[in-house]
Amino acid sequence: EAQVTQNPRYLITVTGKKLTVTCSQNMNHEYMSWYRQDPGLGLRQIYYSMNVEVTDKGDVPEGYKVSRKEKRNFPLILESPSPNQTSLYFCASSLWGGAGSPLHFGNGTRLTVT
Amino acid sequence: AQSVTQPDIHITVSEGASLELRCNYSYGATPYLFWYVQSPGQGLQLLLKYFSGDTLVQGIKGFEAEFKRSQSSFNLRKPSVHWSDAAEYFCAVMYGNKLVFGAGTILRVKS
C-alpha cells in the first residue's frame, strides 16, 4: 500500500532532550516536506526537500533540522526541544513538488515538550 | 506576502443540508488551489484541486469548488452533507514549490 509512515505517533519529552521523528514513503517520491499544525494557524511548513541531499527552509525552520540521505526517508530532528515546539507534526511527499503533484500526508506525530 | 484566509473557524450544518466553506487567497498570478480534509487522528486527504480551465471543479466524496478570480475565492460546496463529512477542512494555495494552508474550518454535522 502506498503510504507515508511517521513514527512515533505520540511523543512526550522534556526540554532539551534531543529527539528524532522519522518519516518514510514507499512511492518513490522526489519531494518531501515537514509541517507543523497548531490550532488557528493551519499547517506551516518547516523544511522541504526536492530530492536526495537537497533540503531547504520553509516558513518556520527555527529549532529544527532535517536530512535527506536517501529518497524514501526524511527525518525531522529537534536538537534541543522547547515547549513552544509542542505541536502536531505531519510529513508529506509528492512525486516532484510542483502544483500538478498532490501531497500525500502521514498520519501525524503529536509531540509534547514539558 | 501570500496568504490564505478561511473566515469561518467552525461551521455546523444539519445532515442533508447544503454546505459552503469559504476560502480567499492573496496572490498576483494565477494560483494553484487545493482543498484538503482532515478526519480526527488522520493526515490530510486531497479533496480537489484547480490549476486552470473550467472554474468549477469536482472532487471526491461529492464535493465541488468554484474558482472566482474577481473575488480571489475558491469556495468548497456540497449539496447534501452526510454525518461522515464531519472533519476539518483546509484550503491551500501553491506559490512556486510552497503550499500555503489556511487556518482550517471545523465542520460539525448535526442529525
Side-chain angles (χ1 to χ4, degrees):
Chain A
E1 180 190 350
Q3 59 186 0
V4 178
T5 303
Q6 295 178 230
N7 280 298
R9 289 293 306 273
Y10 301 92
L11 180 57
I12 300 173
T13 189
V14 296
T15 299
K17 186 176 181 183
K18 180 180 178 180
L19 66 91
T20 299
V21 183
T22 64
C23 174
S24 180
Q25 51 91 5
N26 61 1
M27 296 168 279
N28 202 36
H29 284 172
E30 303 281 343
Y31 180 91
M32 298 185 75
S33 181
W34 276 102
Y35 293 85
R36 60 176 289 174
Q37 182 181 9
D38 301 289
L41 297 176
L43 280 80
R44 293 177 293 167
Q45 191 178 48
I46 303 170
Y47 269 94
Y48 66 95
S49 168
M50 298 297 293
N51 209 331
V52 176
E53 301 292 1
V54 179
T55 64
D56 213 340
K57 295 177 181 178
D59 294 317
V60 288
E62 294 78 20
Y64 304 95
K65 283 175 54 177
V66 293
S67 70
R68 188 91 183 273
K69 293 186 170 58
E70 47 191 343
K71 185 182 277 192
R72 64 182 292 121
N73 295 324
F74 191 46
L76 179 69
I77 303 154
L78 284 72
E79 296 270 3
S80 182
S82 62
N84 65 12
Q85 293 178 297
T86 292
S87 187
L88 179 57
Y89 291 86
F90 286 100
C91 181
S93 71
S94 69
L95 205 50
W96 66 77
S101 178
L103 282 172
H104 297 256
F105 284 83
N107 284 336
T109 295
R110 186 168 292 282
L111 172 65
T112 302
V113 183
T114 61
Chain B
Q2 303 93 344
S3 66
V4 180
T5 301
Q6 294 180 246
D8 304 303
I9 299 173
H10 297 100
I11 280 187
T12 300
V13 300
S14 297
E15 192 168 14
S18 64
L19 169 70
E20 182 169 33
L21 302 182
R22 295 183 290 164
C23 173
N24 293 93
Y25 64 90
S26 68
Y27 187 50
T30 301
Y32 298 113
L33 299 157
F34 305 81
W35 274 99
Y36 284 84
V37 60
Q38 183 182 30
S39 299
Q42 303 293 315
L44 279 71
Q45 180 184 21
L46 180 67
L47 281 176
L48 47 78
K49 60 184 184 281
Y50 171 79
F51 294 162
S52 64
D54 192 348
T55 56
L56 184 64
V57 293
Q58 303 296 322
I60 61 171
K61 306 186 182 192
F63 285 92
E64 65 178 27
E66 186 172 14
F67 169 57
K68 292 187 178 179
R69 184 187 302 277
S70 62
Q71 298 176 18
S72 296
S73 69
F74 189 56
N75 294 348
L76 182 71
R77 302 195 294 245
K78 186 168 185 178
S80 177
V81 169
H82 187 263
W83 64 266
S84 61
D85 293 324
E88 189 163 15
Y89 292 80
F90 292 93
C91 180
V93 180
M94 180 153 271
Y95 305 103
N97 290 324
K98 185 197 293 192
L99 193 61
V100 176
F101 287 86
T105 297
I106 296 172
L107 172 65
R108 299 191 180 109
V109 180
K110 59 182 181 182
S111 55

